[in-house]
């Protein structure tokens, strides 16, 4: 599977990563970060100047307006630069102005939360990030150069130290580039309600479709439980009464006993199907208990480590349960694994799930695998999925879902 981020490329293929373009893309990202950070300082100063010029039009708040709107430019450049180390798109969350002209544009931008997040990112970038970029680049390349330049007969150990630093530089640079990109995406990516109206309607349609599907699933579960299961139980009782009226050892008695065994097996299969459609433990005890109950019936040993502070919102809980269920089904069918693990934590309004196995790997959504269905389900809850599955395994499915506990 083709990696989508520098971090992912480094984790999947730690050795062949060195011959890929990702280390150079990371260097370009940090080097341009130094330039953008220095430019951010200039932009902030220019914003103050522009604000003072506009003071005649916007009395009092003009300097702040200049600074805030200058940060929009820095954020736009940063979203484009992210493509160097993160191939996932970062849409521009700004809305169209409510009317024509500069005044309407300014009024719209000042009312958007993303504008203030962009201001925060610009301040952080100007005050710290570009200095850190410069420091990482100097440590990775400048220090080895100084060590090599200072080498003579008595200082050869410095050359060895410089060589080690230089050999580690692809990992050093990529690690910081990945962390910096994650911070930028967290601050600059669209949040709930910041997508365009067309995208919001598509998203709402997906949510309605998923809710309708889950409601239909509940209805089917109820009909099977109250209808087919009860009929099977009644039929089993009838066969049992018939069996009592037939002499033991007769051919008909053996046939009835076989029919009862087949009926019992069909009843067990139907119970498993009903439990899988809408497990009562999910409704009564929550996600962690439902996943543990499912893992106890899984054909492979599964370690479950879900530490959640409470019950998730209902639609998130249902979608996450079926996501985990489908992922575990994929593991059983395709991975060739001997064991699996499901873990989950809640950090700062973000549910983070990791589903891993020790199988042969090679999972890729682009190849039409079961991961495509998982990605579709995540779109209904604004989730994001990353997959690490090198050819020789193991496979790690990393899922992030924004949510609030009730």
């Amino acid at each position: 599977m083709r990696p989508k981020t520098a971090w992912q490329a480094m984790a999947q293929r730690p050795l062949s990563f060195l011959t890929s373009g990702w280390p150079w893309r990371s260097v370009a990202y940090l080097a341009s970060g130094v330039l953008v950070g220095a430019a951010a300082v200039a932009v902030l100063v220019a914003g103050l100047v522009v604000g003072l010029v506009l003071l005649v039009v916007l009395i009092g708040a003009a300097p702040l307006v200049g600074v805030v709107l200058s940060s929009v430019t820095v954020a736009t450049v940063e979203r484009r630069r992210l493509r160097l180390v993160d191939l996932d798109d970062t849409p521009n969350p700004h809305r169209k102005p409510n009317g024509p002209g500069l005044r309407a544009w300014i009024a719209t931008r000042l009312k958007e939360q993303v504008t203030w997040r962009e201001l925060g990112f610009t301040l952080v970038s100007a005050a710290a990030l570009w200095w850190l970029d410069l420091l990482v680049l100097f440590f990775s390349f400048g220090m080895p150069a100084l060590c090599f330049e200072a080498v003579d007969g008595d200082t050869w150990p410095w050359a060895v130290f410089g060589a080690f630093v230089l050999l580690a530089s692809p990992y050093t640079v990529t690690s910081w580039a990945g962390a910096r990109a994650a911070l930028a995406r967290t601050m600059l990516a669209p949040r709930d309600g910041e997508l365009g109206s067309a995208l919001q309607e598509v998203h709402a349609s997906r949510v309605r479709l998923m809710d309708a599907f889950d409601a239909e699933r509940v209805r089917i579960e109820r009909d099977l439980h109250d209808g087919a299961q009860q009929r099977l139980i009644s039929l089993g009782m009838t066969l049992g009464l018939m069996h009592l009226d037939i002499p033991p050892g007769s051919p008909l008695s053996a046939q009835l006993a076989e029919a009862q065994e087949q009926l019992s097996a069909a009843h067990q299969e139907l119970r498993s199907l009903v439990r899988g459609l809408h497990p009562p433990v999910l409704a009564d005890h929550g996600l962690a208990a439902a996943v543990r109950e499912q893992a106890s019936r899984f054909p492979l040993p599964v370690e479950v480590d879900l530490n959640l502070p409470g019950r998730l919102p209902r639609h998130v809980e249902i979608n996450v349960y079926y996501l985990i269920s489908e992922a575990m089904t994929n593991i059983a069918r395709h991975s060739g694994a001997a064991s699996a693990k499901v873990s989950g934590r809640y950090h700062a309004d973000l549910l983070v799930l990791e589903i891993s196995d020790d199988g042969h790997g090679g999972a890729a959504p682009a190849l039409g695998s079961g991961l495509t269905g998982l990605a579709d389900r995540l779109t209904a809850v604004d989730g994001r999925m990353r997959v690490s599955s090198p050819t020789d395994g193991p496979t790690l499915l990393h899922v992030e879902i924004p949510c609030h506990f009730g």
Side-chain angles (χ1 to χ4, degrees):
M1 183 190 68
R2 184 189 176 200
K4 289 190 174 183
T5 69
W7 264 357
Q8 199 175 74
M10 186 170 60
Q12 286 182 3
R13 302 276 184 175
L15 293 180
S16 59
F17 156 80
L18 295 173
T19 60
S20 69
W22 286 106
W24 298 106
R25 294 168 71 101
S26 299
V27 171
Y29 180 67
L30 296 190
S32 60
V34 174
L35 299 177
V36 170
V41 177
V43 166
L44 289 175
V45 174
L48 283 173
V49 174
V50 172
L52 292 174
V53 172
L54 293 176
L55 193 59
V56 177
V57 180
L58 302 172
I59 297 175
L64 177 61
V65 169
V67 170
V68 169
L69 299 183
S70 298
S71 65
V72 174
T73 303
V74 175
T76 301
V77 173
E78 184 64 27
R79 289 190 185 95
R80 295 179 182 275
R81 288 197 328 111
L82 274 176
R83 297 285 295 175
L84 287 169
V85 291
D86 189 338
L87 299 182
D88 286 341
D89 289 331
T90 308
N92 189 337
H94 288 294
R95 302 191 306 270
K96 291 184 178 180
N98 297 326
L102 178 62
R103 199 177 186 88
W105 188 86
I106 292 175
T108 301
R109 293 294 172 265
L110 291 180
K111 293 177 181 178
E112 294 177 318
Q113 291 186 357
V114 63
T115 302
W116 300 98
R117 294 204 308 272
E118 290 173 344
L119 173 61
F121 176 81
T122 302
L123 293 175
V124 171
S125 180
L129 291 182
W130 74 287
W131 289 102
L132 291 173
D133 294 343
L134 187 61
L135 182 63
V136 170
L137 290 174
F138 173 76
F139 178 80
S140 300
F141 303 107
M143 183 175 292
L146 292 177
C147 290
F148 295 149
E149 185 179 357
V151 168
D152 57 27
D154 297 326
T155 59
W156 62 267
W158 285 106
V160 176
F161 173 74
F164 275 116
V165 172
L166 188 60
L167 289 174
S169 62
Y171 302 101
T172 305
V173 170
T174 304
S175 297
W176 169 240
R180 192 192 199 286
L183 173 63
R185 179 176 288 278
T186 299
M187 299 184 71
L188 302 179
R191 305 281 177 87
D192 293 344
E194 292 180 350
L195 297 173
S197 58
L199 291 178
Q200 285 185 10
E201 181 57 33
V202 171
H203 174 72
S205 299
R206 285 178 178 268
V207 172
R208 287 194 297 268
L209 182 62
M210 196 65 69
D211 288 343
F213 177 76
D214 289 329
E216 184 66 13
R217 190 196 295 263
V218 172
R219 186 192 65 79
I220 293 173
E221 180 269 336
R222 184 176 61 249
D223 291 346
L224 288 175
H225 182 272
D226 297 338
Q229 270 193 299
Q230 299 305 318
R231 290 181 181 275
L232 287 177
I233 293 174
S234 177
L235 179 59
M237 294 177 64
T238 301
L239 289 177
L241 292 174
M242 291 176 61
H243 195 229
L244 292 176
D245 295 335
I246 296 175
S250 65
L252 186 56
S253 176
Q255 292 176 357
L256 282 174
E258 183 180 355
Q260 283 183 300
E261 290 179 359
Q262 293 180 359
L263 181 63
S264 177
H267 189 206
Q268 291 296 329
E269 291 179 3
L270 184 59
R271 287 183 62 185
S272 298
L273 176 62
V274 170
R275 189 186 300 115
L277 283 174
H278 190 69
V281 67
L282 178 63
D284 296 338
H285 302 288
L287 178 65
V291 173
R292 291 190 182 96
E293 194 269 342
Q294 183 189 32
S296 67
R297 297 180 283 108
F298 198 63
L300 304 175
V302 180
E303 179 184 350
V304 179
D305 181 21
L306 289 173
N307 188 1
L308 306 177
R311 293 293 298 268
L312 292 165
R314 181 179 178 277
H315 75 285
V316 175
E317 191 170 67
I318 291 174
N319 278 283
V320 170
Y321 173 79
Y322 288 120
L323 182 143
I324 294 175
S325 178
E326 292 170 19
M328 292 174 64
T329 301
N330 290 339
I331 291 173
R333 289 179 179 176
H334 308 298
S335 71
S339 63
K341 181 178 180 179
V342 179
S343 61
R345 293 293 186 272
Y346 183 72
H347 305 288
D349 296 337
L350 193 69
L351 175 65
V352 180
L353 297 171
E354 289 190 346
I355 305 169
S356 59
D357 66 74
D358 58 1
H360 51 63
L367 299 179
S369 66
L371 294 174
T372 304
L374 302 185
D376 291 340
R377 181 172 288 278
L378 278 173
T379 58
V381 288
D382 295 325
R384 186 184 185 200
M385 179 178 72
R386 294 188 183 277
V387 182
S388 174
S389 185
T391 303
D392 54 351
T395 296
L396 173 64
L397 181 67
H398 180 90
V399 175
E400 297 178 357
I401 301 174
C403 64
H404 301 274
F405 279 84

